[in-house]
Amino acid sequence: HALLTEIQQRIDEVTRFLSITLNIANAHTVEFYTQDVWKRFVAVSPEDVLSAVVPTKQESEGLFFSFLLFTTFGFCNDTKRLVGTQELVQAAKEHSLPSLGLCMSRENLLQDLRDMKSDSVAAFESDEFMTSKKSHEVQSMSEVVACLAQHCGVNQVIDVGSGKGYLSSFLSLQYALRVYGIDSSSTNTHGAQERNRKLKKFSKAYQKHTKAARTQSEATHSPQEELIERKTGLNGDEDVFSGNGPRIRSQEEERVLTSSSDINPTVEGRSEQNLETDELFLSALSVDVIQPASPRVPPSQLSAEERERRKRENLERKAQSRADSTGAVFSPLTSYVTAETELRDLINELEDAVMVGLHTCGDLAPSTLRMFVAKPELAAVCSVGCCYHLLSEEFDHAGQKWPGCFGVCGFPLSQYLRDQSCFCGRNARMSACLALERVALGQGIQMESLFYRAVLHVILRDHYSSYKSEKRVGNVYSKAKSFVDYVRRALRRLELDESKLSDSDIQDYHNTYRVRMDEMHAFNMLKVTLAPCIEGLILLDRLCYLKEQEDVSFSALVQLFDPLLSPRCYAVIGLKNDGKRTTS
């Protein structure tokens, strides 16, 4: 893994690149036409920008030769406008995380953790597979967290910003870890508790039926048949499982497999009851499905025998719960967490633990890292952040502290960038949330809604003195049937007099700027091009922060997820010296 000096060198390279290009990322799309953003920052045609990703060899060499002596990363040194699109695109690739050589793969991390300890975490044994984005994230991250816990010799996990509790439940049920899920929303906490209860219920039913099916199989199958069945897989697919856990199956594969008449004999041998139980268990694990609770029978309607039975079961459950106080449990808690939060005030039974956060928003991700460093009971951390636009910044563009910045801020986190008074900007951090991989496939940017909003801003400037009002237009676009309808809805939302404009007046604005929509499209593609570099700076800052700590023996930036499924795919991982890791 990278040394601190190497990380600081890469940070310097990225900050130099962004010092030239960040103005584009910080330009607000709403002001695209009112501020004439295209002419301010770009001196080439929209077609040049949109075709920059696939230039001919002659075009690429010509652009580079023409501007080599007069540009920096494609921007004219005198006018500060973009004149060399190819140079910018190439530089952006070179300053993104995959090209900086500082990231670790998930597979290499797991191998390193297992090499450091003779025992290995058993891959969870279940024949279910899930196709949702959340399932991909939960399964990928949970194996890493389980390896961290075993490597550190701990049984507790603290899931910060646990939300609906999917990661917490999975860690508890599949890896027998005691998990405390902390979320600021009581609604999320209550939902997570109820969902976990149902997961446990279906898990027990699932395991019971699986055990029964296995017993029946052993009684009716010869050893040779049993060996064939295990090799083939319970669902008749040799590739359901891989070395990295369950394979995610596409919906198309599901349809084909479901309708196929060429069914493996082992599938035919399964009873409909078992399949129904599997389906219920999978539904309980699904991100989008919550099984309805069974109707509650009033106690007065129960027989004396039933009341006695329930009382006895409740007493047995309580006794079992006390006996298994150190076993696998998921406990949802409601609390607003900051770097100063005392975990022992929230968790009475707190022991050494691993702290995790899956897509923790804004400042919660850096707060998680600060807690890991400050709390001796935290042996390891695995943090995947998101919502960079919600980060608080310590400095403004002039390098001065923000007047409203009290206490610690989310960016910069490392002392190295704090000493430089590093500034990013909210619009740039918003741009960092754009998904380059998805946009490259035609997903991710709703150009028409952005265009509508920018033209509306022109109308507000021309006809209403309150166009810089703090009031927000909101999601009017999704309900609008046309541009005219959109503008009228927006004016009503802003409580402005819509009678000032006729429908033809409004449509004229649309027609005037429609011919310049390709400028907005091209400009947003430039933002998308810069997105990985801005995200890279934020994540390198967090990695640098861990490298600066003397008692952190290992830290790494690890790609946990497929960026097409989960664009915020990088985790910051750290181990303390007392986490049985001696390598620096």
Side-chain angles (χ1 to χ4, degrees):
H1 56 286
L3 299 173
L4 176 60
T5 53
E6 184 182 358
I7 293 171
Q8 292 173 341
Q9 181 182 347
R10 295 292 182 268
I11 286 177
D12 289 343
E13 294 172 4
V14 175
T15 53
R16 178 175 177 267
F17 172 71
L18 291 177
S19 70
I20 304 295
T21 61
L22 205 59
N23 282 337
I24 284 184
N26 269 319
H28 206 305
T29 308
V30 168
E31 301 171 339
F32 190 79
Y33 297 120
T34 57
Q35 299 292 326
D36 211 358
V37 169
W38 182 261
K39 290 185 179 178
R40 280 175 60 197
F41 296 113
V42 185
V44 296
S45 70
E47 292 75 19
D48 286 339
V49 171
L50 294 174
S51 64
V53 260
V54 203
T56 64
K57 188 173 186 293
Q58 184 177 2
E59 287 173 341
S60 178
E61 290 176 348
L63 283 170
F64 185 77
F65 178 77
S66 300
F67 301 120
L68 180 62
L69 301 177
F70 310 102
T71 67
T72 305
F73 303 129
F75 286 81
C76 176
N77 294 337
D78 293 329
T79 66
K80 310 302 181 186
R81 297 171 72 195
L82 177 64
V83 293
T85 311
Q86 279 302 319
E87 190 179 347
L88 172 63
V89 171
Q90 182 60 35
K93 290 179 181 178
E94 293 171 355
H95 291 87
S96 62
L97 283 177
S99 301
L100 293 175
L102 297 177
C103 290
M104 194 176 193
S105 71
R106 176 178 173 274
E107 291 72 23
N108 287 342
L109 173 70
L110 291 172
Q111 187 60 51
D112 281 3
L113 289 172
R114 287 162 178 162
D115 287 346
M116 287 182 248
K117 193 175 180 65
S118 58
D119 298 331
S120 62
V121 176
F124 86 92
E125 295 181 4
S126 175
D127 62 354
E128 91 275 6
F129 47 89
M130 295 171 279
T131 59
S132 70
K133 169 181 177 289
K134 181 60 68 177
S135 297
H136 169 63
E137 295 164 351
V138 166
Q139 293 189 74
S140 297
M141 188 167 180
S142 62
E143 185 178 5
V144 170
V145 173
C147 278
L148 287 171
Q150 186 178 59
H151 172 76
C152 297
V154 303
N155 191 53
Q156 287 190 2
V157 173
I158 301 173
D159 184 3
V160 180
S162 54
K164 297 180 179 180
Y166 289 104
L167 176 64
S168 297
S169 295
F170 199 85
L171 286 168
S172 173
L173 291 173
Q174 298 293 353
Y175 290 101
L177 292 167
R178 185 177 181 88
V179 185
Y180 296 92
I182 305 176
D183 197 89
S184 61
S185 168
S186 58
T187 301
N188 278 346
T189 303
H190 176 75
Q193 202 160 17
E194 181 65 12
R195 189 173 296 106
N196 187 63
R197 182 187 68 80
K198 291 170 183 175
L199 281 172
K200 285 183 177 180
K201 174 183 175 182
F202 285 113
S203 178
K204 289 178 181 178
Y206 178 81
Q207 292 169 6
K208 179 180 178 181
H209 282 271
T210 300
K211 183 178 179 180
R214 187 180 298 114
T215 302
Q216 181 181 5
S217 174
E218 290 173 353
T220 58
H221 288 11
S222 67
Q224 291 82 1
E225 289 174 325
E226 182 70 19
L227 180 62
I228 292 172
E229 181 174 295
R230 288 182 181 178
K231 284 185 177 181
T232 306
L234 193 55
N235 287 323
D237 294 317
E238 295 180 353
D239 60 349
V240 169
F241 293 95
S242 67
N244 297 325
R247 180 178 70 83
I248 296 173
R249 182 175 283 151
S250 69
Q251 293 180 348
E252 178 65 14
E253 287 174 286
E254 285 295 320
R255 184 185 63 78
V256 172
L257 288 171
T258 303
S259 61
S260 175
S261 59
D262 184 17
I263 302 176
N264 187 284
T266 59
V267 178
E268 291 181 327
R270 302 184 69 196
S271 68
E272 292 186 5
Q273 186 177 13
N274 286 347
L275 291 173
E276 182 180 357
T277 304
D278 292 354
E279 183 178 342
L280 289 173
F281 185 59
L282 295 178
S283 298
L285 284 171
S286 170
V287 174
D288 303 316
V289 177
I290 301 176
Q291 293 292 331
S294 302
R296 188 173 183 272
V297 180
S300 59
Q301 298 180 14
L302 296 174
S303 64
E305 293 80 9
E306 180 65 11
R307 285 198 297 269
E308 184 62 27
R309 186 185 66 81
R310 293 191 178 189
K311 180 179 178 180
R312 184 171 62 253
E313 286 181 352
N314 285 335
L315 290 174
E316 289 173 355
R317 277 197 295 269
K318 290 179 180 178
Q320 185 64 37
S321 178
R322 286 193 294 270
D324 295 340
S325 60
T326 59
V329 176
F330 168 38
S331 304
L333 306 170
T334 302
S335 178
Y336 183 80
V337 178
T338 67
E340 290 74 35
T341 299
E342 284 296 334
L343 296 174
R344 293 192 181 278
D345 293 341
L346 300 175
I347 306 170
N348 294 330
E349 305 85 1
L350 182 65
E351 302 172 357
D352 287 352
V354 176
M355 176 162 277
V356 304
L358 174 55
H359 290 157
T360 46
C361 292
D363 284 348
L364 187 54
S367 290
T368 300
L369 299 179
R370 285 193 174 101
M371 278 192 282
F372 163 67
V373 169
K375 315 294 182 186
E377 60 268 23
L378 297 179
V381 67
C382 180
S383 171
V384 181
C386 68
C387 303
Y388 302 129
H389 59 292
L390 298 179
L391 283 170
S392 59
E393 287 201 58
E394 185 173 358
F395 305 101
D396 62 16
H397 66 281
Q400 302 298 312
K401 284 201 173 187
W402 285 107
C405 182
F406 302 104
V408 294
C409 293
F411 181 86
L413 183 62
S414 67
Q415 192 60 48
Y416 185 71
L417 280 180
R418 292 185 69 202
D419 289 343
Q420 299 179 33
S421 302
C422 186
F423 165 78
C424 191
R426 187 180 188 279
N427 288 336
R429 287 183 278 109
M430 180 75 81
S431 298
C433 298
L434 295 171
L436 176 61
E437 293 82 5
R438 287 185 174 181
V439 173
L441 295 178
Q443 307 171 17
I445 296 184
Q446 298 293 329
M447 282 306 308
E448 188 175 64
S449 64
L450 297 175
F451 172 72
Y452 278 16
R453 183 62 183 86
V455 178
L456 171 66
H457 208 60
V458 177
I459 293 174
L460 295 176
R461 179 198 63 184
D462 292 351
H463 297 277
Y464 301 92
S465 58
S466 60
Y467 80 100
K468 291 186 178 180
S469 168
E470 292 299 320
K471 295 179 181 177
R472 300 176 64 86
V473 173
N475 187 23
V476 174
Y477 174 79
S478 63
K479 302 176 182 178
K481 299 177 182 178
S482 65
F483 179 71
V484 173
D485 186 33
Y486 170 84
V487 172
R488 297 214 175 277
R489 287 174 179 270
L491 293 176
R492 289 194 292 271
R493 175 72 64 88
L494 297 171
E495 298 179 351
L496 297 173
D497 182 10
E498 60 176 300
S499 66
K500 283 187 177 184
L501 298 168
S502 66
D503 287 357
S504 61
D505 292 334
I506 296 173
Q507 189 61 39
D508 284 344
Y509 275 95
H510 177 276
N511 296 341
T512 299
Y513 286 94
R514 182 66 181 81
V515 295
R516 295 180 57 189
M517 190 174 175
D518 57 347
E519 293 178 357
M520 178 177 281
H521 184 199
F523 197 84
N524 277 292
M525 290 305 296
L526 291 176
K527 284 192 169 191
V528 171
T529 301
L530 296 175
C533 309
I534 303 167
E535 180 181 33
L537 176 64
I538 293 170
L539 295 178
L540 288 177
D541 172 54
R542 296 174 184 178
L543 178 60
C544 185
Y545 169 75
L546 291 185
K547 293 292 183 184
E548 292 171 345
Q549 313 305 317
E550 291 184 358
D551 62 342
V552 175
S553 60
F554 171 84
S555 54
L557 199 56
V558 181
Q559 182 176 330
L560 288 189
F561 313 132
D562 179 345
L564 279 174
L565 289 173
S566 181
R568 305 283 75 78
C569 60
Y570 292 100
V572 180
I573 290 177
L575 286 166
K576 292 270 185 68
N577 285 321
D578 56 359
K580 302 178 183 177
R581 173 85 185 198
T582 57
T583 307
S584 62

